[in-house]
Amino acid sequence: MFAVLASLPILLVIVLMVVFDKPAKIVMPVAWLLAVVLAALVWRVPGNWLVGETIAGALSAFNILIIVFGAILVMNTLKHSGAINTINRTFFGISGDRRVQAIIIAYLFVSFIEGAAGFGTPAALAAPLLVSLGFPPLAAVILALIGDSTAVSFGAVGTPIIGGVARVLDSPGVRESVAQHGWTFEQFVQQVGVWSAIPHAIMGTLLPLLIVMVMTRLFGKEKSFKPAFEIAPFAIFAGLSFTVPYLLLAVFVGPELPSLLGALIGIGITVLAARKGFLVPRTPWTFPDEREWGDDWTGTVEPSTAMLGRSDIPPVLAWMPYILVALILVITRIPALGIKALITAPAVTISWSEIAGTSLGYSLQALYLPGTIPFILVAILTIFLHGMSRDAVKETWSRSLKQMVPATIALVFAVAMVNVMRFSNNNATGTASMLQALSNAAAAGLSSVWALVAPFIGVLGAFMTGSNTVSNILFSGFQYEVAARADISRTVIVGLQVIGGAAGNMICVHNVVAASTTVGMLGREGRIIRVNIVPAAIYAIVVGIVGMLAVYVFVPGLF
């Protein structure tokens, strides 16, 4: 009974967003209101707790929104300065083989942009770049969306983990459980990142090959996987050039840098290898003549015309904002350098305890938050580096603020709803919280195979909301509780939630629409999702198997 009632807010989100195609900015406030009503009438949660849970959730969302705004601001700054055109031109002339181009742009370049910006930006940038090189628009969208997966869990310098998982799970109960295991909460969050990175790295190494397989099978003249297998050595080499540094950064540095620096390293290695012809087949592969293309392969933007406009910004200067972002993050994240201690000190931390008379609290380390340093700082520096006009700067900031409106509404109410569900155990009846009721039911029926199920929950969350971060906000607490009830590793299961949210990026409506719009493919979203649901499912199945081996064979005693 309680589990059925507790599921209603989440079911409402699924029905309104998936069946009726309502936007998150409308759905999330309604779902929050339903959660509040249930908490008040069924769980008998006192009014001050409902207020405190909502305020704490909204404030936590504000921290996430600063990161989102900073990421969007940097990207819009580069667009309006002309730097993006220069960056795009650096990919021309590397190789005439479409398979190589797909690997470098749809996998590595997309991963780099994901690490720096995230939130639907990568595929929307890469798809027109691929079209400008002569790719069919339909292929460009499909491949860019598939490639935007491995990097997503650490996108926008770790927002899905730092702003999603950490914000939702940061509670006295979780901290106490983590401490009993001998970890700090911060170590737990990093370990979630590690156990996101390990399965990701396994599947991510194979992802370039999967991208090429989809391309040659659906868009090749021979409609065969054979051309993909011919370039398999280069594809796997490209995958390793990203996933090896990606995994090392997750293990030894933290969740901010794996995608950003890993992809930057991967681009350098793979581009050099492609120029030298290393592991590249002698006979280049290309698409059939345009006259043989399918009727649904093209849209309103013709090939080779998607990337208009020129820029005289030198390549080094165009890439400099990203280089500065990476350098500043490294400098501020390594404890031995001493800067991290300065910018996270209590003197520069804003905090609020016992919100509305509850035990809930809030803190903001503005100088440590990636949204302010480096994102907003680098965006301001770029104005001078690239000599932007006053009008260009005004348009950049205005557009970035406008883009934040729907994200702000959705995130504030999503985090508030999850807070209400998580802390509804603070009631007069002694009833378990709404999330605990859900997790008890799930653990009772599926505990033995939950590692296989967990990634698909993340996929569902991303498909519903269009965001790995919001998927983690919705389901991290649920996944944690199921793992606790099933007595399996909470770290691995939450990590699988994060990975599932990344795989769901391939099919989430928000990203599909964003990428389709840039190449004139609106109206083909259904076809794109039907194609991409296969690689998304493959991704979830593979990481689920890795998760099963982890929780029952390799690290059965891991917290």
Side-chain angles (χ1 to χ4, degrees):
M1 172 65 175
F2 282 107
V4 172
L5 291 173
S7 69
L8 291 180
I10 293 174
L11 289 175
L12 179 69
V13 172
I14 294 172
V15 170
L16 290 181
M17 296 192 71
V18 177
V19 179
F20 293 99
D21 199 28
K22 298 296 182 182
K25 65 180 181 180
I26 293 175
V27 174
M28 291 307 174
V30 177
W32 164 79
L33 182 60
L34 177 58
V36 169
V37 170
L38 287 169
L41 299 182
V42 179
W43 270 260
R44 304 290 181 87
V45 177
N48 69 309
W49 270 93
L50 293 174
V51 172
E53 289 157 3
T54 299
I55 292 174
L59 290 172
S60 292
F62 176 71
N63 290 26
I64 304 168
L65 288 164
I66 293 174
I67 303 174
V68 176
F69 174 71
I72 290 173
L73 182 65
V74 169
M75 183 54 59
N76 283 337
T77 300
L78 295 180
K79 284 182 180 178
H80 286 88
S81 76
I84 283 296
N85 291 333
T86 299
I87 290 170
N88 289 344
R89 288 201 303 272
T90 63
F91 292 104
F92 286 75
I94 294 170
S95 171
D97 194 314
R98 301 301 191 185
R99 297 167 297 185
V100 174
Q101 292 172 355
I103 290 168
I104 291 174
I105 296 171
Y107 176 63
L108 292 170
F109 179 62
V110 158
S111 295
F112 175 75
I113 297 299
E114 179 63 45
F119 300 99
T121 303
L125 275 176
L129 174 56
L130 288 168
V131 171
S132 72
L133 290 171
F135 281 59
L138 182 64
V141 174
I142 287 171
L143 302 180
L145 286 166
I146 295 172
D148 191 18
S149 47
T150 303
V152 173
S153 293
F154 303 97
V157 291
T159 301
I161 293 175
I162 298 170
V165 172
R167 287 289 164 191
V168 168
L169 293 185
D170 190 0
S171 67
V174 174
R175 283 183 175 269
E176 182 179 347
S177 296
V178 169
Q180 289 173 356
H181 182 72
W183 285 348
T184 63
F185 181 74
E186 290 70 26
Q187 288 173 320
F188 167 63
V189 171
Q190 178 163 358
Q191 285 300 308
V192 168
V194 170
W195 282 99
S196 299
I198 291 171
H200 256 321
I202 294 169
M203 187 60 210
T205 300
L206 301 174
L207 192 63
L209 178 59
L210 184 60
I211 289 170
V212 178
M213 287 172 67
V214 171
M215 181 176 71
T216 60
R217 179 66 179 83
L218 297 182
F219 301 98
K221 188 171 185 178
E222 58 281 278
K223 296 287 191 289
S224 169
F225 292 130
K226 184 180 177 183
F229 295 139
E230 290 172 356
I231 203 169
F234 178 82
I236 293 172
F237 170 80
L240 288 170
S241 73
F242 169 47
T243 57
V244 170
Y246 167 97
L247 181 57
L248 291 174
L249 286 161
V251 172
F252 295 108
V253 179
E256 294 98 342
L257 294 171
S259 295
L260 180 67
L261 279 186
L264 191 60
I265 293 167
I267 288 172
I269 294 171
T270 306
V271 167
L272 180 62
R275 289 189 185 279
K276 298 291 184 182
F278 179 68
L279 298 177
V280 177
R282 292 184 179 180
T283 304
W285 182 91
T286 191
F287 299 104
D289 188 273
E290 286 185 32
R291 291 170 293 184
E292 301 176 42
W293 288 7
D295 293 337
D296 62 346
W297 288 16
T298 58
T300 58
V301 177
E302 293 298 321
S304 304
T305 64
M307 297 300 294
L308 298 175
R310 298 188 57 165
S311 173
D312 296 327
I313 297 176
V316 172
L317 202 57
W319 283 93
M320 187 56 65
Y322 288 132
I323 295 170
L324 286 174
V325 166
L327 285 175
I328 293 170
L329 283 170
V330 170
I331 291 169
T332 56
R333 264 56 185 175
I334 297 176
L337 297 177
I339 296 176
K340 180 177 180 180
L342 291 175
I343 60 178
T344 59
V348 291
T349 299
I350 299 171
S351 60
W352 181 6
S353 59
E354 299 183 353
I355 297 173
T358 70
S359 60
L360 299 174
Y362 165 76
S363 67
L364 169 64
Q365 295 176 325
L367 298 180
Y368 188 68
L369 210 61
T372 49
I373 298 176
F375 281 157
I376 294 176
L377 173 62
V378 168
I380 293 170
L381 292 174
T382 302
I383 296 170
F384 303 100
L385 279 172
H386 294 173
M388 294 176 65
S389 68
R390 182 175 297 180
D391 288 342
V393 173
K394 182 179 178 181
E395 176 64 19
T396 296
W397 284 73
S398 174
R399 182 176 293 273
S400 300
L401 288 168
K402 287 177 182 177
Q403 285 178 255
M404 289 299 298
V405 174
T408 299
I409 296 170
L411 276 170
V412 164
F413 283 99
V415 182
M417 181 193 81
V418 172
N419 260 18
V420 170
M421 294 180 70
R422 282 203 71 211
F423 297 110
S424 53
N425 61 312
N426 295 284
N427 55 59
T429 62
T431 308
S433 73
M434 298 166 78
L435 274 184
Q436 287 170 334
L438 275 174
S439 61
N440 287 340
L446 296 166
S447 61
S448 61
V449 293
W450 191 256
L452 290 175
V453 176
F456 285 95
I457 300 295
V459 170
L460 175 65
F463 176 72
M464 286 163 43
T465 66
S467 167
N468 191 1
T469 300
V470 182
S471 176
N472 293 343
I473 289 169
L474 286 176
F475 292 121
S476 288
F478 169 64
Q479 299 266 26
Y480 179 93
E481 295 292 345
V482 172
R485 297 292 178 277
D487 196 26
I488 55 178
S489 173
R490 283 161 271 194
T491 305
V492 173
I493 295 301
V494 175
L496 292 173
Q497 155 64 35
V498 175
I499 298 170
N505 218 50
M506 299 184 197
I507 58 173
C508 72
V509 177
H510 173 274
N511 286 356
V512 172
V513 171
S516 298
T517 302
T518 63
V519 295
M521 292 298 294
L522 278 176
R524 308 282 168 77
E525 295 89 350
R527 169 75 191 279
I528 294 164
I529 290 173
R530 285 194 298 274
V531 170
N532 282 8
I533 200 168
V534 175
I538 291 171
Y539 209 112
I541 290 168
V542 171
V543 300
I545 292 170
V546 174
M548 285 285 285
L549 291 172
V551 297
Y552 292 116
V553 179
F554 298 123
V555 287
L558 184 67
F559 174 79

